Amino acid sequence: MPDPAPAPLISPVAARDMAARYNRADFRAWARRAHTTGGCAQPIHLRGRVTHLDPLTGTILHHYSTAQEPGGVLRVACKTRRASRCPACADTYRADTYHLVRAGLVGGKGVPATVSKHPAAFVTLTAPSFGPVHTRRTGTTGAVVACRPRRGGGTCPHGRPVSCTVRHSEADPRLGQPICPDCFDYAGAVLWNAHAPELWRRFTLAFRRHIARSAGLRVADLREVLTVSFAKVAEYQRRGLVHFHAVIRLDGPGGPHNPPPAWATLDLLRAAVDHAAGAVTVTTPAAGGVPAMTHAWGSQIDVRPITTTGELTDGAVAGYIAKYATKAAECVGTLDRRVRPTDDLNELPISEHARRLIAQCLHLAAVEEFAGLRLDQWAHMLGFRGHFSTKSRHYSTTLGRLRADRIDHNRTHHDQPTTGRLPLTPEDEVLVIAHWRYLGQGLTPGEALLTAALTGKPLPSLVPSELHPRSTA
């Protein structure tokens, strides 16, 4: 099924809606709120009030009501991480992730600068092959070469050519698509995605076991002398498989404040990665017409040291991980939402490869042996149901701490109600009484255009079902 033609950027409906909003008497107040949300493309709509009281005297120190807001509604930023949903909030999430990852490499945010002397590497773990796909290859000179040339040519069992001599451009929509969709193992790909988080968990366990064994220690005793810290992000390849990028660091006991033992070197870290990646597997039973499988990491395992200068610096690694922390599976051509029971899979605006992956998710979800994977709930993610960005406890600060610091910073620029008394007893502290009601989320097409123009933030996809507020009142 060919992809539908793109809709015009500004439709007549969006133009009329934009003009109607601009000509309203409360447009200036609405524009200020758009700036306050940072240009959020899908703000949350709230109605309610907040009252600050002196509990000792009952005096109202401050009162706020959304009745004074445009339309009687307060719009607050959605704070999503997904750039495909809200570029503005994703920028904030990306910046927070950048500082979180970089702090674990050079210090800051409560991490000592001496952490930069700890052995650290940028590790990439990939998925195995489930069938040949179109790819963009470069030769030794950097020039683009043929995709999959085969001297003898030939065809697959389904009668399709096994060779592709095209020199694909970076924007070629065929990239990641199977050479023969009928030869591609869609069931294996979906089940691998579903078990990728478990493979990562087993990898971290095997990694620690190898470190302990190399040092002549029991695993239970390793934490007394060494801590393994990491920050990880999942990235989708165009073929629809996830792979993981991780910063792995060796610390002393308790985390980055203590140096690791002298025997904890970069060479040991690299050896532990190679061992753990090849040692762990996850098995799935034969069911639903799918044979029993053993899932493992692919053969392309990359371990590169992180340095303060050169090609792979702390800033480059932090930027790379932060970039993919805001992505999902959109590069595969899949949906940006869950698949609904009312959806007609054949009519969805997705690539044919994504359509087959989703169909396989829905098929396996009905198989009792795979029911626990909830593949129908994660069909839009092609079976993957793990967190995109994770870290170990001792790696660095947390996203929650960064957000709390931002809130505290904003509060210092606004006068806070006070009783005027020292907070010696509960009666001396301000009593806050709040009542909020959720009304919906999103922007109309005209509001989305105006918000982008006012704030300079990227314009989101103008999909009416996603931009119109979804009321729950």
Side-chain angles (χ1 to χ4, degrees):
M1 175 182 174
D3 292 335
L9 185 61
I10 302 179
S11 66
V13 173
R16 289 194 297 270
D17 182 44
M18 181 170 56
R21 167 54 70 181
Y22 182 80
N23 289 323
R24 287 181 57 168
D26 60 1
F27 173 73
R28 290 185 181 275
W30 182 89
R32 286 195 298 271
R33 178 54 59 183
H35 278 286
T36 301
T37 63
C40 178
Q42 51 174 18
I44 296 171
H45 302 185
L46 301 173
R47 180 171 292 162
R49 58 189 180 275
V50 179
T51 303
H52 294 76
L53 295 172
D54 184 333
L56 189 63
T57 65
T59 303
I60 297 178
L61 304 174
H62 180 264
H63 179 74
Y64 167 82
S65 171
T66 56
Q68 65 195 53
E69 299 288 344
V73 173
L74 174 66
R75 293 168 176 84
V76 297
C78 67
K79 301 180 182 178
T80 184
R81 69 162 188 89
R82 299 180 67 168
S84 58
R85 284 285 178 176
C86 179
C89 291
D91 279 344
T92 301
Y93 189 94
R94 183 185 299 112
D96 285 348
T97 302
Y98 174 87
H99 289 293
L100 183 153
V101 174
R102 191 168 185 270
L105 296 172
V106 298
K109 311 296 181 184
V111 180
T114 54
V115 75
S116 61
K117 296 181 173 61
H118 296 194
F122 185 59
V123 177
T124 299
L125 301 171
T126 62
S129 174
F130 292 95
V133 299
H134 292 281
T135 185
R136 189 171 188 267
R137 300 169 59 241
T138 56
T140 55
T141 62
V144 180
V145 299
C147 171
R148 287 185 175 273
R150 295 294 182 269
R151 180 173 300 176
T155 59
C156 72
H158 304 96
R160 294 185 176 91
V162 297
S163 173
C164 175
T165 58
V166 176
R167 291 174 171 83
H168 295 291
S169 67
E170 291 185 356
D172 194 325
R174 289 173 291 183
L175 289 176
Q177 305 296 303
I179 299 292
C180 173
D182 293 327
C183 290
F184 193 86
D185 183 6
Y186 283 96
V190 165
L191 290 174
W192 194 94
N193 278 344
H195 289 91
E198 177 61 17
L199 269 176
W200 169 259
R201 188 186 72 85
R202 297 187 183 190
F203 167 84
T204 60
L205 296 176
F207 181 92
R208 291 183 174 93
R209 283 195 296 267
H210 183 84
I211 293 285
R213 185 166 57 251
S214 299
L217 299 171
R218 296 187 309 161
V219 175
D221 297 331
L222 181 64
R223 68 182 63 184
E224 301 298 328
V225 295
L226 183 138
T227 300
V228 177
S229 302
F230 68 84
K232 169 185 69 70
V233 68
E235 177 193 357
Y236 272 89
Q237 297 172 311
R238 292 191 181 185
R239 59 183 176 137
L241 278 298
V242 295
H243 62 283
F244 293 144
H245 301 290
V247 174
I248 301 181
R249 189 187 69 215
L250 302 182
D251 299 327
H257 292 275
N258 298 307
W263 50 261
T265 64
L266 186 62
D267 288 338
L268 177 61
L269 190 156
R270 182 182 289 109
V273 169
D274 290 338
H275 166 79
V280 298
T281 59
V282 178
T283 59
T284 53
V290 177
M293 296 183 182
T294 299
H295 305 281
W297 297 110
S299 58
Q300 296 181 354
I301 307 298
D302 187 36
V303 184
R304 289 188 285 169
I306 302 170
T307 60
T308 55
T309 59
E311 180 181 354
L312 195 63
T313 63
D314 51 90
V317 170
Y320 193 84
I321 289 182
K323 171 186 175 181
Y324 285 102
T326 63
K327 303 293 184 181
E330 51 265 30
C331 70
V332 188
T334 185
L335 289 176
D336 192 30
R337 59 167 176 82
R338 293 186 187 275
V339 178
R340 306 185 184 107
T342 55
D343 285 329
D344 184 345
L345 191 56
N346 294 321
E347 297 298 326
L348 292 177
I350 55 179
S351 69
E352 186 59 34
H353 184 48
R355 198 183 320 277
R356 288 188 176 227
L357 287 166
I358 292 175
Q360 192 63 235
C361 285
L362 299 178
H363 166 70
L364 294 178
V367 178
E368 182 179 358
E369 288 81 355
F370 301 130
L373 300 176
R374 298 189 298 160
L375 292 173
D376 54 338
Q377 297 296 310
W378 297 100
H380 65 300
M381 301 302 292
L382 314 181
F384 179 69
R385 55 199 177 98
H387 293 288
F388 267 81
S389 178
T390 59
K391 73 172 193 68
S392 61
R393 179 180 302 175
H394 295 293
Y395 178 79
S396 69
T397 186
T398 65
L399 291 175
R401 182 69 263 171
L402 293 176
R403 295 183 187 115
D405 290 344
R406 187 182 302 113
I407 292 173
D408 291 341
H409 173 78
N410 291 336
R411 283 176 176 169
T412 60
H413 291 76
H414 298 83
D415 294 332
Q416 297 296 314
T418 175
T419 61
R421 301 185 299 274
L422 292 175
L424 301 177
T425 65
E427 287 78 12
D428 297 322
E429 298 180 358
V430 176
L431 176 64
V432 181
I433 302 176
H435 175 75
W436 295 105
R437 186 157 62 97
Y438 173 83
L439 297 181
Q441 183 178 7
L443 296 171
T444 64
E447 290 174 339
L449 289 166
L450 282 172
T451 298
L454 289 167
T455 63
K457 296 298 182 179
L459 190 67
S461 174
L462 296 182
V463 181
S465 63
E466 295 179 0
L467 292 177
H468 282 294
R470 297 181 292 276
S471 175
T472 60

